[in-house]
Structures are given as structure tokens and as C-alpha cells.
Amino acid sequence: MKIIFGLLILNIIVFIHELGHFIFAKIFGVKVLSFSIGMGPILFHKTINDTDYRISLLPLGGYCGMEGEEDFKNAIENNLSSFPKNKNSLYGIHPIKRAVIAFAGPFFNLILAIFAYTIICMTPLDQVILSNKIIIPDSSVESVARNAGLKTGDKIIQIDNKKIESFDQIYEYVSLRPKTKMLIYVERDSQTLTFEVTTSLDKTQGTGLLGVMGDINSKTIIKTKTYPFFIAIIKGTEKMFEMISKTFQRFKLLFTGVDLTNVVSGPARITSILGDTVTEGFNYGFTLGLCATLELVALISISLGIMNLLPIPILDGGIILFALIHLIFKKEISPKTQYNIQKIGLIILIILFIIGTTGDIRYFFSKWSETKKKSY
């Protein structure tokens, strides 16, 4: 059931993405030849108004096939200097319209994230939080906080210019800043002390480390603040932009020497995590399960949107880049040149797929090993 739930949610995220392309292609008069939920062999299909709507065998995404893809293929095979200017084709419309159609998929992913965060902002929830009181692990565990002079029982009240009230805020601030010098303000015995600490890098997770733990004896349950619908939309939008910023910050961490096979997730691991979140979250109650699921849906949707906007050929960002070059320089990049550049983009995606798949295999092998140990 976990896998089914995971696949269902992942397909909804991809469906929303492809729906963005579909709607704006229709708006701009581009003929949509096919719209599929799933990939691979077609199980069911029905043609309505020149569009073949499909449900395909492999529940791993979907696609929106538009007029112009065959034009691209024919232009390559016949060594044409430009694309045929068919008004119903993706390559026959104005480059701004082509860029908008490409942008619509990621944009709809961001709309989905706003929707998810809006529901969360409207949902009352009992949240368990740990205070800002810390525990320093024993000497067998490396801790830059211990080396700087922090002690068990200290309360971290501020890091740089950020006020700290809970352990979650400590983790949130530090995890995005590996190998960063920061000022930590601590309350100890009614005194305020200041420490200069340089965080370390957790290469397996791609996060900054301070080397402290939360005090589970200081946990409290608070009710999250809820908002009326229109205010919740504003708060949800703010949360979406906040997560975009954090996503870019985490993206930069990929170039700091982290273990990419562990940090970059493939579709199998994402599906598993989604399934685990749904089933385990709802085991603790409907509202907690709903909010946990929506939080992860928003995060994956934002990640998918941003990834597709990268200026890599064959992704939406590559189409947008070519369209903007066409618009600015008033000259279309030849089909052959675009094809050769797309080969580079395909190589990049294959490398990312291999990294993600390798990480997935390690992840599931690790889970299997843990299960085996528990069975003895």
C-alpha cells in the first residue's frame, strides 16, 4: 500500500505539471496530439477534439505531446536550416508563447505548492516541539559546539541575527550553512554567553552540523496558528517562496563535496518516502497525516518545478532559453544545433539518473539490512 500511495501522489504532482503545458498550449493554439497519465504502453485512450487522452502502463509520470515534435525530427533528418512555420506547432508560434508554454509546467507545480501550504495554514494541528535547550553528545561523537565551549543544558537564544525559541529553528538555520562561521548566543546560569562556532559538513546528508541534540525532556505540544482562507493563501505563497530560497541554498550544497548518491533521490526513493509519509502520518491522526503529506507534496512539487526550469536542453528551461535567444537576437537556432545541444542535456540527465538510482539502491539495501537485523 505504501508504494501505491507514493505512486499515486507522485503521479498527481507530474499530472499537474503536464496540465500546465496542456492548458497553455490550448490557449495559444498549439495542437495537443496526446496527453498521457503514465508512461510506456497505452492501456486506455480516447480521442476528443484531436487530442488522444491516455492512461499508460508505467505509473511514473506522464507527458503532453504537442504538434511540432515531428517537425523537429523531420528538420533534423532533412538537415533544414529552420523549423517549418506551422501555426499549430510549438515551433511555429511566437517565441514568447513557446516560452510561456514551457514555463507553465513548473508554474503549475508552484501553484500546487501554494495550494498545499494554504491547506496546512488553515488546518489546526497539535505540534510537538523541543525547546532551545541543547545536549552535547559524548566525546565519541565529533561536535564543533563542544569544541567551541558549549555545554549540555545551555539554551541557544540567538544565532547571528536570528532569535531562537526551539530546537527546530536551530536545525533549520544550521543545516543550510555548512562550514560557516557564526555567533551563537547562549543562556547559562542566568548569564548570556557568546561563542564563535564554525559548522562542519555532513557529507551523507549535505547539511551543516553543529554537533548538538535536542532535549527530549523539554518537549511541549503547541497548537499551530490557523488563518482564514484568503490570509492562508498569502501565508502559503510566502511559504512557497521561502522554500524556493531554501531549495536553491540546498542546491548549492551539491558542489561542496557531499555524497551525491545519498543526497540526490531517484523516483523509487521519492515514491517510498511519499508512501511512508502518508501511511505513518495518518497512523497518528488525520490532520497530522494530511499536513505531513501536503508538506512533502509541496516540497517535491517545488523541487520538480525548479529542476525543470534549469537551462538544460530537453528540459523546460532549455526550451525557454532557446525561445529567449530567438526573441532577443531575432534569429532562430537551427534544428541541428539545438539537437546537438540537447545531446549534452541528455547526458547530464542520464548522469543524474544514474546517481539517483545508485542512491536508491543503497537506500533500499540499507532498509533491507536493518529489517534483517531486527528479525533476529
Side-chain angles (χ1 to χ4, degrees):
M1 284 302 293
K2 290 182 180 180
I3 298 300
I4 293 174
F5 284 135
L7 287 172
L8 177 62
I9 294 172
L10 188 59
N11 272 275
I12 289 173
I13 295 171
V14 175
F15 168 75
I16 294 297
H17 178 96
E18 297 300 331
L19 185 63
H21 294 315
F22 173 85
I23 290 175
F24 277 86
K26 290 285 189 179
I27 289 174
F28 292 134
V30 174
K31 186 176 180 181
V32 179
L33 302 176
S34 58
F35 186 83
S36 175
I37 298 175
M39 306 288 285
I42 301 168
L43 297 178
F44 309 100
H45 72 104
K46 183 175 180 61
T47 301
I48 303 174
N49 295 330
D50 297 325
T51 301
D52 191 38
Y53 296 92
R54 304 169 178 173
I55 296 178
S56 300
L57 177 64
L58 303 177
L60 295 171
Y63 56 87
C64 177
M66 288 175 264
E67 183 79 38
E69 292 174 355
E70 283 298 316
D71 291 342
F72 189 99
K73 181 180 177 182
N74 293 335
I76 297 298
E77 291 175 348
N78 298 307
N79 200 25
L80 301 179
S81 60
S82 62
F83 295 101
K85 297 299 182 286
N86 181 348
K87 66 178 182 179
N88 296 323
S89 165
L90 181 65
Y91 295 98
I93 60 176
H94 193 279
I96 289 182
K97 293 181 179 180
R98 185 160 63 251
V100 171
I101 291 173
F103 178 73
F107 177 70
F108 268 47
N109 281 131
L110 300 184
I111 295 298
L112 175 60
I114 292 174
F115 171 79
Y117 285 133
T118 297
I119 299 300
I120 292 172
C121 288
M122 295 172 62
T123 305
L125 185 66
D126 290 335
Q127 184 177 15
V128 179
I129 63 169
L130 300 181
S131 75
N132 54 359
K133 187 177 180 180
I134 63 167
I135 293 176
I136 303 294
D138 61 50
S139 57
S140 65
V141 178
E142 179 62 29
S143 171
V144 293
R146 184 202 306 116
N147 297 339
L150 277 77
K151 297 180 179 180
T152 293
D154 286 345
K155 289 184 177 180
I156 296 179
I157 57 176
Q158 184 174 326
I159 304 179
D160 294 332
N161 295 319
K162 181 177 176 60
K163 298 292 184 183
I164 300 295
E165 296 178 346
S166 69
F167 188 78
D168 282 349
Q169 292 176 323
I170 299 173
Y171 173 79
E172 187 177 296
Y173 189 86
V174 172
S175 65
L176 295 174
R177 295 168 176 83
K179 300 181 179 180
T180 302
K181 186 180 293 184
M182 53 184 61
L183 288 177
I184 298 182
Y185 299 84
V186 164
E187 185 181 284
R188 180 191 298 170
D189 298 329
S190 302
Q191 290 183 311
T192 300
L193 306 176
T194 305
F195 299 89
E196 189 177 85
V197 183
T198 299
T199 58
S200 58
L201 170 65
D202 182 349
K203 292 186 178 181
T204 60
Q205 300 297 324
T207 59
L209 280 178
L210 191 56
V212 299
M213 300 184 297
D215 184 357
I216 60 173
N217 294 319
S218 67
K219 66 181 179 182
T220 57
I221 299 176
I222 63 170
K223 285 196 174 293
T224 57
K225 188 174 181 180
T226 58
Y227 300 90
F229 178 69
F230 291 107
I231 302 298
I233 292 176
I234 296 173
K235 293 293 182 182
T237 304
E238 291 175 353
K239 180 67 174 177
M240 183 269 293
F241 280 114
E242 178 188 334
M243 293 309 298
I244 287 177
S245 175
K246 289 180 179 179
T247 300
F248 277 113
Q249 286 178 276
R250 293 198 179 279
F251 181 75
K252 290 191 296 184
L253 297 179
L254 297 178
F255 305 96
T256 58
V258 300
D259 181 356
L260 291 177
T261 59
N262 193 65
V263 175
V264 178
S265 296
R269 195 176 349 172
I270 292 172
T271 300
S272 176
I273 292 171
L274 274 167
D276 288 342
T277 301
V278 173
T279 53
E280 292 176 14
F282 280 101
N283 283 339
Y284 288 98
F286 177 79
T287 55
L288 181 61
L290 175 66
C291 290
T293 302
L294 289 175
E295 186 88 34
L296 192 55
V297 165
L299 182 60
I300 294 174
S301 195
I302 289 170
S303 298
L304 177 65
I306 291 175
M307 186 193 74
N308 272 277
L309 285 176
L310 295 176
I312 298 175
I314 82 173
L315 293 181
D316 297 329
I319 296 175
I320 294 170
L321 179 62
F322 288 143
L324 292 179
I325 291 173
H326 184 185
L327 180 67
I328 294 170
F329 296 100
K330 309 297 182 185
K331 186 177 181 180
E332 183 178 81
I333 300 175
S334 71
K336 187 174 182 180
T337 301
Q338 288 197 35
Y339 177 69
N340 289 331
I341 295 174
Q342 283 186 353
K343 287 180 181 178
I344 299 173
L346 182 60
I347 291 171
I348 294 173
L349 290 182
I350 290 174
I351 292 172
L352 289 174
F353 177 79
I354 292 172
I355 291 172
T357 303
T358 302
D360 286 359
I361 293 171
R362 286 177 55 184
Y363 170 79
F364 287 112
F365 182 77
S366 175
K367 287 188 70 174
W368 176 78
S369 298
E370 289 176 6
T371 303
K372 286 269 291 181
K373 288 177 183 178
K374 291 176 181 178
S375 65
Y376 288 108

